[in-house]
Amino acid sequence: ILTILGNSAVLATAAKRSSLLKSPELLTVNLAVADIGMAISMYPLAIASAWNHAWLGGDASCIYYALMGFLFGVCSMMTLCAMAVIRFLVTNSSKSNSNKITKNTVHILITSIWLYSLLWAILPLVGWGYYGPEPFGISCTIAWSKFHSSSNGFSFILSMFLLCTVLPALTIVACYLGIAWKVHKAYQEIQNIDRMPNAAKLEKKLTLMAVLISVGFLSSWTPYAAASFWSIFNSSDSLQPIVTLLPCLFAKSSTAYNPFIYYIFSKTFRREIKQLQCCCGWRVHFFSTDNSAENPVSMMWNG
């Protein structure tokens, strides 16, 4: 519910401000699309299976669930990587060079991200890698246990781990460390934050917001990655079902964080949310029956 409501608000405000959106903000929209896509395509089936205490639908729904999770997961990871690279380029380039990152460039980048994610998602369907049930039995993902039992599974998991996890994560960390160093040098030159230009303060806020989005995503998926790689080198039976279930649920919570981060750091987003509340009729007025003219009490439903 939080994922769908929060990211729907992000998409609604982006649609309202479509003509004013800057090029890097399109990646934020793409991240919201991936998050809400994951919530709509996967979560209802997982919730129904949890209530059923067993997976619903058999092999077909298992493959569908795992494919959707892989598609949207890789898309989110690569979108965060692209955001980090663009923030690094903008921070370390002159104003004239930073303006070269046009909307057309970002559109091409987003299209490439989706094609790359789709390619990796369909590879297990055409014979490289496998999809299978999670150890706790109520969701599906990549068959990590095939790492040792099949050369096909070994090569797929190793390649996927390097190209979809390690390299993007290292790129994100390297870009933000580079930005932090650049900002540190700028502070040393200015030596007074009150004298910092407004543009530099805005860049600092945008960078901090991007860092928090990346940290939220990586930290929420790290326990799941740890549990998955444990199952590569050890039998899944060596872990209690609750130990494999909780990291999976925590990883899914990553889709709900971003709208809250936007709300905290973006005045524009807060203003647009308030306008959406008014337009949707979320303002209710209560009047005292004794003296309604003198004592109106206005109450806002904030969600």
Side-chain angles (χ1 to χ4, degrees):
I1 292 172
L2 288 175
T3 297
I4 292 174
L5 291 179
N7 288 287
S8 294
V10 173
L11 295 179
T13 56
K16 187 177 179 182
R17 298 180 58 251
S18 57
S19 60
L20 302 175
L21 286 179
K22 297 179 181 179
S23 302
E25 290 179 307
L26 296 175
L27 291 170
T28 302
V29 175
N30 192 56
L31 192 59
V33 170
D35 287 343
I36 201 170
M38 181 177 288
I40 292 174
S41 65
M42 297 173 60
Y43 295 175
L45 186 55
I47 293 169
S49 297
W51 282 106
N52 187 55
H53 298 279
W55 182 252
L56 294 174
D59 293 340
S61 63
C62 184
I63 292 174
Y64 159 79
Y65 184 93
L67 186 146
M68 290 294 105
F70 198 21
L71 171 65
F72 291 120
V74 174
C75 181
S76 297
M77 186 66 166
M78 301 311 297
T79 301
L80 291 172
C81 182
M83 290 172 64
V85 171
I86 288 181
R87 288 247 56 83
F88 178 80
L89 294 176
V90 169
T91 304
N92 289 273
S93 301
S94 62
K95 186 174 180 180
S96 59
N97 289 331
S98 64
N99 290 335
K100 292 181 180 179
I101 303 175
T102 63
K103 285 189 176 181
N104 286 336
T105 302
V106 177
H107 283 146
I108 294 173
L109 180 59
I110 290 174
T111 302
S112 301
I113 288 172
W114 280 103
L115 291 176
Y116 183 80
S117 305
L118 182 61
L119 172 64
W120 278 102
I122 64 175
L123 284 175
L125 301 182
V126 296
W128 192 32
Y130 307 93
Y131 288 133
E134 299 270 18
F136 51 85
I138 56 173
S139 71
C140 297
T141 185
I142 297 166
W144 301 101
S145 60
K146 298 290 186 180
F147 184 81
H148 285 300
S149 61
S150 166
S151 59
N152 190 355
F154 170 83
S155 61
F156 174 76
I157 291 174
L158 185 62
S159 301
M160 179 275 299
F161 176 62
L162 291 175
L163 298 177
C164 298
T165 305
V166 174
L167 288 180
L170 290 179
T171 301
I172 291 171
V173 172
C175 286
Y176 288 130
L177 286 177
I179 292 172
W181 176 252
K182 178 74 174 181
V183 171
H184 173 70
K185 298 296 289 185
Y187 282 170
Q188 285 185 330
E189 294 176 2
I190 297 175
Q191 294 183 345
N192 186 352
I193 194 170
D194 295 329
R195 294 170 53 194
M196 185 182 298
N198 289 332
K201 293 180 180 179
L202 177 60
E203 287 298 325
K204 178 188 174 184
K205 181 182 289 188
L206 291 175
T207 300
L208 180 59
M209 185 172 69
V211 168
L212 289 177
I213 292 170
S214 299
V215 168
F217 182 86
L218 294 175
S219 60
S220 61
W221 279 93
T222 297
Y224 178 76
S228 298
F229 281 101
W230 173 271
S231 66
I232 287 177
F233 299 105
N234 301 274
S235 172
S236 299
D237 297 334
S238 61
L239 294 176
Q240 294 293 324
I242 193 68
V243 177
T244 55
L245 173 61
L246 290 179
C248 184
L249 294 178
F250 187 50
K252 288 180 171 61
S253 70
S254 65
T255 58
Y257 300 152
N258 296 340
F260 293 99
I261 296 174
Y262 303 146
Y263 191 86
I264 292 171
F265 284 91
S266 174
K267 292 181 180 179
T268 302
F269 185 62
R270 289 198 297 271
R271 184 175 64 250
E272 294 292 342
I273 289 296
K274 291 178 181 178
Q275 292 178 2
L276 281 175
Q277 288 175 336
C278 295
C279 293
C280 293
W282 292 354
R283 185 182 297 274
V284 179
H285 297 278
F286 294 94
F287 295 94
S288 165
T289 55
D290 295 332
N291 195 357
S292 60
E294 295 179 4
N295 256 332
V297 180
S298 178
M299 180 182 244
M300 172 71 77
W301 291 0
N302 286 322

